[in-house]
Amino acid sequence: TAGVACLAGSTAMAGTMGAHMTASIGGADMPVVITLLNSYSGYALCAEGFLLGNDLLTGVGALIGSSGAILSYIMCKAMNRSLTNVILGGYGTSVKKTGSAEQLTHQEIDVSGTVEALTTAKKVIIVPGYGLAVAGAQYAIAELVKTLSDKGVEVKFGIHPVAGRM
């Protein structure tokens, strides 16, 4: 039927568009692209609801699509970049090599060096991430915060403007 053909066509277009858009994305831009693709899946669900005459699919798809678009916009604002710059930023750029690059030195630190750096600091900002949650290290962080606070170190928590929203 015509509805199935339209659904297959939109699926093929969505797959091609997704592959094309993500080809040049990497690093810190990837969470924005993930939320944008999530938004596209909502719009596709909304279109499917229109094709099948299902009001529930249409409403849920519109909700998913708009929330993904809003989150993408918020994340782009947090990075001080436009959505167009995030999506098209990698196309047509080439890496220019200069004659001499600044050579930086790598300094390793061990556990005792970390302890010394933390206890001698006046302020410490902890930005917890997904790995901390997966490792179940919340209690260890709470103990670290208590120990540092008892030593007079001001401890604050930060939220990454992009990754913290995922």
Side-chain angles (χ1 to χ4, degrees):
T1 65
V4 174
C6 288
L7 183 61
S10 66
T11 301
M13 281 191 343
T16 303
M17 201 168 152
H20 174 69
M21 281 184 45
T22 57
S24 67
I25 308 294
D29 295 339
M30 193 51 73
V32 176
V33 174
I34 291 169
T35 60
L36 191 64
L37 291 175
N38 186 33
S39 175
Y40 287 164
S41 73
Y43 295 142
L45 185 63
C46 187
E48 184 179 349
F50 277 124
L51 289 173
L52 299 176
N54 188 327
D55 293 337
L56 181 64
L57 288 179
T58 304
V60 171
L63 185 64
I64 293 170
S66 60
S67 64
I70 291 167
L71 184 57
S72 298
Y73 173 76
I74 290 170
M75 291 166 71
C76 285
K77 291 295 270 185
M79 294 190 308
N80 294 322
R81 295 177 64 194
S82 68
L83 186 60
T84 306
N85 184 275
V86 170
I87 300 303
L88 302 176
Y91 282 112
T93 59
S94 60
V95 178
K96 296 180 182 177
K97 296 191 177 195
T98 57
S100 63
E102 180 183 356
Q103 297 294 321
L104 302 175
T105 59
H106 171 77
Q107 181 180 359
E108 291 196 24
I109 188 168
D110 57 359
V111 175
S112 61
T114 304
V115 170
E116 182 182 343
L118 286 173
T119 55
T120 58
K122 293 179 183 174
K123 293 182 183 179
V124 173
I125 298 178
I126 299 172
V127 183
Y130 179 72
L132 183 133
V134 170
Q138 296 92 333
Y139 300 108
I141 291 294
E143 186 178 325
L144 174 67
V145 169
K146 184 179 182 324
T147 303
L148 290 174
S149 295
D150 291 345
K151 292 185 180 282
V153 178
E154 182 184 354
V155 181
K156 293 184 177 182
F157 285 90
I159 299 174
H160 190 278
V162 175
R165 297 178 192 272
M166 296 294 287

